């Protein structure tokens, strides 16, 4: 059974999308269904809170990338907060950190909502031998 929850809330300056559980090829359609209408709204800046996301595969990463790339530059960029060290390391290895503004926590995102380069928003401290796969398990080693 796939444990996944997504909630959407308007929290200016962001539309907050909170992800909980496992985001994989089975649960991606649920996330796409919730995110697609947000992208049609003008001036939507999406903040994905992934603090409670225990697992993400390449299909889940694709949804996050698509949502952030499709956000018009004049409206700000898509952002992530609450990334585990393993998830941050995986995104870094795959060259995805430049696609997002990354905040350490949700509080940081709301305290400093101006876009900052991802490379300065974190320190990459995770080092795992299995991070070369297309999945990240954040409750255990990658």
């Amino acid at each position: 059974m796939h444990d996944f929850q997504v909630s959407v809330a308007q929290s200016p300056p962001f539309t907050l999308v909170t992800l909980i559980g496992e985001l994989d090829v089975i649960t991606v359609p649920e996330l796409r269904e919730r995110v697609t209408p947000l992208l049609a709204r003008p001036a939507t800046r999406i903040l994905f809170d992934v603090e409670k996301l225990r697992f993400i595969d390449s299909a889940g990463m694709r949804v996050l990338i698509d949502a952030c790339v499709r956000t018009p530059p004049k409206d700000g960029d898509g952002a992530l907060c609450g990334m585990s060290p393993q998830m941050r390391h995986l995104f870094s290895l795959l060259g995805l950190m430049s696609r997002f503004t990354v905040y350490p926590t949700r509080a940081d995102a709301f305290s400093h909502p101006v876009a900052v380069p991802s490379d300065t928003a974190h320190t990459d401290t995770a080092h795992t031998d299995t991070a070369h796969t297309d999945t990240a398990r954040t409750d255990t080693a990658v």
Side-chain angles (χ1 to χ4, degrees):
M1 181 173 171
H2 292 271
D3 174 31
F4 179 70
Q5 296 174 3
V6 58
S7 64
V8 177
Q10 295 301 315
S11 299
F14 298 106
T15 297
L16 179 63
V17 178
T18 303
L19 307 177
I20 299 171
E22 299 182 7
L23 179 57
D24 58 23
V25 70
I26 302 297
T27 57
V28 155
E30 181 180 351
L31 179 59
R32 278 195 195 281
E33 184 178 304
R34 299 294 299 273
V35 170
T36 300
L38 301 176
L39 298 173
R41 296 180 190 166
T44 296
R45 184 165 184 217
I46 299 174
L47 173 63
F48 289 97
D49 184 343
V50 297
E51 181 178 9
K52 295 181 181 176
L53 192 65
R54 293 187 314 268
F55 177 84
I56 186 169
D57 69 6
S58 58
M61 286 188 252
R62 182 81 246 162
V63 174
L64 299 180
I65 293 166
D66 288 348
C68 291
V69 168
R70 288 176 54 191
T71 302
K74 66 179 176 49
D75 298 330
D77 60 354
L80 295 169
C81 69
M83 291 179 85
S84 69
Q86 295 88 354
M87 180 186 246
R88 190 170 30 249
H89 184 67
L90 178 62
F91 275 57
S92 179
L93 283 174
L94 296 173
L96 299 175
M97 293 303 286
S98 64
R99 301 272 187 141
F100 307 97
T101 297
V102 177
Y103 298 98
T105 66
R106 184 188 295 191
D108 289 318
F110 286 98
S111 296
H112 308 288
V114 176
V116 293
S118 296
D119 295 338
T120 61
H122 71 281
T123 56
D124 196 22
T125 57
H127 300 291
T128 58
D129 294 334
T130 58
H132 299 285
T133 65
D134 71 346
T135 59
R137 184 162 297 277
T138 58
D139 57 347
T140 61
V142 175

